[in-house]
mmCIF file of all heavy atoms in Angstrom:
data_model
loop_
_atom_site.group_PDB
_atom_site.id
_atom_site.type_symbol
_atom_site.label_atom_id
_atom_site.label_comp_id
_atom_site.label_asym_id
_atom_site.label_seq_id
_atom_site.Cartn_x
_atom_site.Cartn_y
_atom_site.Cartn_z
ATOM 1 N N ASP R 52 -10.731 17.783 10.621
ATOM 2 C CA ASP R 52 -11.625 17.728 9.388
ATOM 3 C C ASP R 52 -10.695 17.483 8.174
ATOM 4 O O ASP R 52 -11.001 16.897 7.191
ATOM 5 C CB ASP R 52 -12.579 18.888 9.294
ATOM 6 C CG ASP R 52 -13.604 18.938 10.349
ATOM 7 O OD1 ASP R 52 -13.843 17.911 10.992
ATOM 8 O OD2 ASP R 52 -14.262 19.911 10.512
ATOM 9 N N ALA R 53 -9.627 18.342 8.153
ATOM 10 C CA ALA R 53 -8.601 18.326 7.065
ATOM 11 C C ALA R 53 -7.950 16.932 6.904
ATOM 12 O O ALA R 53 -7.830 16.459 5.684
ATOM 13 C CB ALA R 53 -7.598 19.476 7.125
ATOM 14 N N VAL R 54 -7.682 16.350 7.916
ATOM 15 C CA VAL R 54 -7.079 14.974 7.892
ATOM 16 C C VAL R 54 -8.133 13.969 7.360
ATOM 17 O O VAL R 54 -7.834 13.154 6.459
ATOM 18 C CB VAL R 54 -6.652 14.487 9.405
ATOM 19 C CG1 VAL R 54 -6.237 13.128 9.412
ATOM 20 C CG2 VAL R 54 -5.423 15.302 9.838
ATOM 21 N N VAL R 55 -9.318 14.054 7.791
ATOM 22 C CA VAL R 55 -10.337 13.095 7.374
ATOM 23 C C VAL R 55 -10.676 13.328 5.849
ATOM 24 O O VAL R 55 -10.718 12.384 5.170
ATOM 25 C CB VAL R 55 -11.729 13.310 8.143
ATOM 26 C CG1 VAL R 55 -12.809 12.569 7.554
ATOM 27 C CG2 VAL R 55 -11.475 12.905 9.547
ATOM 28 N N GLU R 56 -10.669 14.554 5.468
ATOM 29 C CA GLU R 56 -10.919 14.833 3.968
ATOM 30 C C GLU R 56 -9.675 14.393 3.183
ATOM 31 O O GLU R 56 -9.978 13.707 2.128
ATOM 32 C CB GLU R 56 -11.054 16.439 3.752
ATOM 33 C CG GLU R 56 -11.307 16.746 2.365
ATOM 34 C CD GLU R 56 -11.658 18.125 2.132
ATOM 35 O OE1 GLU R 56 -11.938 18.905 3.113
ATOM 36 O OE2 GLU R 56 -11.471 18.649 0.985
ATOM 37 N N ALA R 57 -8.463 14.505 3.606
ATOM 38 C CA ALA R 57 -7.281 14.037 2.899
ATOM 39 C C ALA R 57 -7.318 12.527 2.767
ATOM 40 O O ALA R 57 -6.984 11.934 1.764
ATOM 41 C CB ALA R 57 -6.052 14.562 3.513
ATOM 42 N N THR R 58 -7.744 11.907 3.881
ATOM 43 C CA THR R 58 -7.807 10.437 3.921
ATOM 44 C C THR R 58 -8.922 10.006 2.847
ATOM 45 O O THR R 58 -8.652 8.984 2.151
ATOM 46 C CB THR R 58 -8.114 9.904 5.228
ATOM 47 O OG1 THR R 58 -7.101 10.395 6.138
ATOM 48 C CG2 THR R 58 -8.113 8.406 5.283
ATOM 49 N N ASP R 59 -10.014 10.601 2.902
ATOM 50 C CA ASP R 59 -11.090 10.189 1.998
ATOM 51 C C ASP R 59 -10.553 10.400 0.473
ATOM 52 O O ASP R 59 -10.811 9.588 -0.341
ATOM 53 C CB ASP R 59 -12.348 11.043 2.102
ATOM 54 C CG ASP R 59 -13.183 10.603 3.456
ATOM 55 O OD1 ASP R 59 -12.940 9.584 3.968
ATOM 56 O OD2 ASP R 59 -13.951 11.520 3.933
ATOM 57 N N ASP R 60 -9.836 11.431 0.212
ATOM 58 C CA ASP R 60 -9.425 11.791 -1.049
ATOM 59 C C ASP R 60 -8.403 10.691 -1.528
ATOM 60 O O ASP R 60 -8.363 10.257 -2.650
ATOM 61 C CB ASP R 60 -8.737 13.128 -1.192
ATOM 62 C CG ASP R 60 -9.775 14.259 -1.167
ATOM 63 O OD1 ASP R 60 -10.971 13.979 -1.237
ATOM 64 O OD2 ASP R 60 -9.250 15.440 -0.828
ATOM 65 N N ALA R 61 -7.490 10.352 -0.618
ATOM 66 C CA ALA R 61 -6.424 9.323 -0.896
ATOM 67 C C ALA R 61 -7.026 7.979 -1.277
ATOM 68 O O ALA R 61 -6.768 7.373 -2.228
ATOM 69 C CB ALA R 61 -5.503 9.112 0.281
ATOM 70 N N ALA R 62 -8.179 7.582 -0.481
ATOM 71 C CA ALA R 62 -8.848 6.334 -0.755
ATOM 72 C C ALA R 62 -9.506 6.407 -2.029
ATOM 73 O O ALA R 62 -9.449 5.321 -2.842
ATOM 74 C CB ALA R 62 -9.932 6.061 0.341
ATOM 75 N N ALA R 63 -10.142 7.433 -2.448
ATOM 76 C CA ALA R 63 -10.703 7.631 -3.713
ATOM 77 C C ALA R 63 -9.774 7.538 -4.806
ATOM 78 O O ALA R 63 -10.005 6.812 -5.909
ATOM 79 C CB ALA R 63 -11.566 8.935 -3.830
ATOM 80 N N GLU R 64 -8.628 8.110 -4.591
ATOM 81 C CA GLU R 64 -7.618 8.026 -5.729
ATOM 82 C C GLU R 64 -6.935 6.581 -5.845
ATOM 83 O O GLU R 64 -6.700 6.166 -6.962
ATOM 84 C CB GLU R 64 -6.346 9.031 -5.325
ATOM 85 C CG GLU R 64 -6.751 10.457 -5.543
ATOM 86 C CD GLU R 64 -5.585 11.417 -5.115
ATOM 87 O OE1 GLU R 64 -4.348 11.006 -5.506
ATOM 88 O OE2 GLU R 64 -5.811 12.409 -4.480
ATOM 89 N N LEU R 65 -6.887 5.981 -4.765
ATOM 90 C CA LEU R 65 -6.342 4.576 -4.753
ATOM 91 C C LEU R 65 -7.382 3.682 -5.489
ATOM 92 O O LEU R 65 -6.954 2.815 -6.394
ATOM 93 C CB LEU R 65 -6.119 4.021 -3.458
ATOM 94 C CG LEU R 65 -4.784 4.507 -2.633
ATOM 95 C CD1 LEU R 65 -4.876 4.291 -1.146
ATOM 96 C CD2 LEU R 65 -3.631 4.094 -3.250
ATOM 97 N N GLU R 66 -8.611 3.769 -5.183
ATOM 98 C CA GLU R 66 -9.592 2.966 -5.880
ATOM 99 C C GLU R 66 -9.699 3.284 -7.363
ATOM 100 O O GLU R 66 -9.809 2.393 -8.219
ATOM 101 C CB GLU R 66 -10.964 3.276 -5.228
ATOM 102 C CG GLU R 66 -11.338 2.488 -3.927
ATOM 103 C CD GLU R 66 -12.716 2.749 -3.472
ATOM 104 O OE1 GLU R 66 -13.390 3.802 -3.777
ATOM 105 O OE2 GLU R 66 -13.153 1.898 -2.756
ATOM 106 N N ALA R 67 -9.527 4.486 -7.757
ATOM 107 C CA ALA R 67 -9.425 5.012 -9.153
ATOM 108 C C ALA R 67 -8.329 4.370 -9.855
ATOM 109 O O ALA R 67 -8.402 4.149 -11.012
ATOM 110 C CB ALA R 67 -9.522 6.536 -9.198
ATOM 111 N N PHE R 68 -7.160 4.220 -9.218
ATOM 112 C CA PHE R 68 -6.073 3.721 -9.746
ATOM 113 C C PHE R 68 -6.429 2.230 -10.219
ATOM 114 O O PHE R 68 -5.951 1.850 -11.467
ATOM 115 C CB PHE R 68 -4.767 3.609 -8.855
ATOM 116 C CG PHE R 68 -3.685 2.831 -9.431
ATOM 117 C CD1 PHE R 68 -2.841 3.422 -10.273
ATOM 118 C CD2 PHE R 68 -3.498 1.487 -9.143
ATOM 119 C CE1 PHE R 68 -1.761 2.671 -10.752
ATOM 120 C CE2 PHE R 68 -2.414 0.748 -9.557
ATOM 121 C CZ PHE R 68 -1.562 1.438 -10.398
ATOM 122 N N PHE R 69 -7.082 1.397 -9.460
ATOM 123 C CA PHE R 69 -7.328 0.012 -9.892
ATOM 124 C C PHE R 69 -8.627 -0.054 -10.687
ATOM 125 O O PHE R 69 -8.734 -1.017 -11.529
ATOM 126 C CB PHE R 69 -7.631 -0.824 -8.594
ATOM 127 C CG PHE R 69 -6.342 -1.010 -7.886
ATOM 128 C CD1 PHE R 69 -5.955 -0.308 -6.724
ATOM 129 C CD2 PHE R 69 -5.433 -2.030 -8.267
ATOM 130 C CE1 PHE R 69 -4.755 -0.508 -6.022
ATOM 131 C CE2 PHE R 69 -4.190 -2.246 -7.627
ATOM 132 C CZ PHE R 69 -3.938 -1.458 -6.485
ATOM 133 N N ASP R 70 -9.535 0.867 -10.619
ATOM 134 C CA ASP R 70 -10.796 0.966 -11.397
ATOM 135 C C ASP R 70 -10.562 0.938 -12.856
ATOM 136 O O ASP R 70 -9.894 1.903 -13.330
ATOM 137 C CB ASP R 70 -11.667 2.070 -10.936
ATOM 138 C CG ASP R 70 -13.081 1.978 -11.580
ATOM 139 O OD1 ASP R 70 -13.600 0.822 -11.675
ATOM 140 O OD2 ASP R 70 -13.672 2.971 -11.968
ATOM 141 N N GLY R 71 -11.077 0.034 -13.632
ATOM 142 C CA GLY R 71 -10.832 -0.010 -15.034
ATOM 143 C C GLY R 71 -9.617 -0.650 -15.585
ATOM 144 O O GLY R 71 -9.415 -0.704 -16.777
#
Side-chain angles (χ1 to χ4, degrees):
D52 291 345
V54 169
V55 170
E56 184 177 337
T58 303
D59 289 344
D60 290 347
E64 288 179 43
L65 289 167
E66 283 184 332
F68 173 82
F69 290 99
D70 189 37

